[in-house]
Amino acid sequence: PMRHAARIRSCTSTVSKGRHVLVRGSYLITGGLGGLGVRAAELLVSSGGTEVVLSSRSGRIARDGQGLEAKLLALIQGAVAQTAVADVADALDACSLSSGVGAGLAGVLHAAGVLRDKLLRVMSYGDVRSVFAPKALAGSHIDQATKYAPLQALLYFSSIAATLGNAGQANYSTANTYLDRLALGSRLSGALSTSLQIPAISGAGMS
């Protein structure tokens, strides 16, 4: 635990406090209608993103009580955001979605994910697949679909659970570890990719 704490402190101490202005263009957010996705869209727009496409499997906000509907409506009415229905765990959907945004695609944020928490001894294949599909498998499809696109950013929303673990989340922790390795591999190949291990965030829960 002390080793992990030291690593966390060393990482957070290097984060710049300056305001970063993004390259103008379109940004795609998968899992875009979840709490993290909508918040990310707001930050992208305020930082200079021209347009944001928020994709999800259902095409609707699934969780009430987080104020996401009002935030999304403000983005759409401001003509800076649109929604798209796609399942990026499907390779064809991932390819169609990224190419559909057009040549102006400047970045992709992969924020999709679900939870199926169970102790490992009772966790089924279905519990593992339901978590791996929107997180790890979808991440792999996004990596392939955008491999030759001139992206300025490819950000995978991972979780601190990939480093610290969490009771009942072996499937979720492993899926996020995959994203971390995927981002590292892509970066070593020259892509501007990274993963962000996010802790629990109030008001941005997942189903």
Side-chain angles (χ1 to χ4, degrees):
M2 292 301 293
R3 183 172 65 255
H4 290 318
R7 288 170 59 188
I8 293 169
R9 284 197 297 271
S10 65
C11 291
T12 56
S13 64
T14 61
V15 175
S16 170
K17 294 182 180 180
R19 182 181 179 82
H20 178 62
V21 179
L22 297 176
V23 173
R24 292 182 64 80
S26 298
Y27 289 82
L28 170 64
I29 304 176
T30 65
L33 298 186
L36 290 177
V38 173
R39 290 187 182 192
E42 290 181 313
L43 288 173
L44 283 171
V45 170
S46 66
S47 298
T50 305
E51 181 185 58
V52 179
V53 178
L54 301 99
S55 78
S56 72
R57 289 180 294 179
S58 67
R60 60 183 176 81
I61 290 175
R63 294 179 67 92
D64 298 325
Q66 297 181 359
L68 300 180
E69 294 87 351
K71 293 177 184 293
L72 177 62
L73 183 60
L75 289 168
I76 293 175
Q77 289 181 337
V80 292
Q82 59 178 300
T83 60
V85 178
D87 182 3
V88 285
D90 180 280
L92 291 179
D93 264 20
C95 185
S96 297
L97 182 63
S98 59
S99 62
V101 176
L105 181 62
V108 178
L109 283 70
H110 179 43
V114 299
L115 296 176
R116 291 293 183 271
D117 295 357
K118 286 185 180 179
L119 294 179
L120 188 57
R121 65 175 180 270
V122 295
M123 188 176 291
S124 67
Y125 170 78
D127 295 324
V128 174
R129 179 168 177 78
S130 64
V131 171
F132 264 69
K135 179 70 70 174
L137 183 60
S140 178
H141 290 160
I142 291 167
D143 176 71
Q144 291 298 313
T146 61
K147 187 172 290 292
Y148 301 106
L151 299 181
Q152 299 301 311
L154 177 54
L155 176 62
Y156 298 101
F157 282 35
S158 178
S159 169
I160 193 66
T163 296
L164 302 181
N166 201 15
Q169 292 190 338
N171 49 1
Y172 185 67
S173 299
T174 308
N176 282 287
T177 297
Y178 177 86
L179 282 188
D180 294 337
R181 299 297 183 267
L182 178 65
L184 177 59
S186 296
R187 193 169 188 85
L188 291 175
S189 299
L192 296 176
S193 63
T194 191
S195 64
L196 180 63
Q197 291 189 345
I198 300 174
I201 298 177
S202 176
M206 298 194 306
S207 57

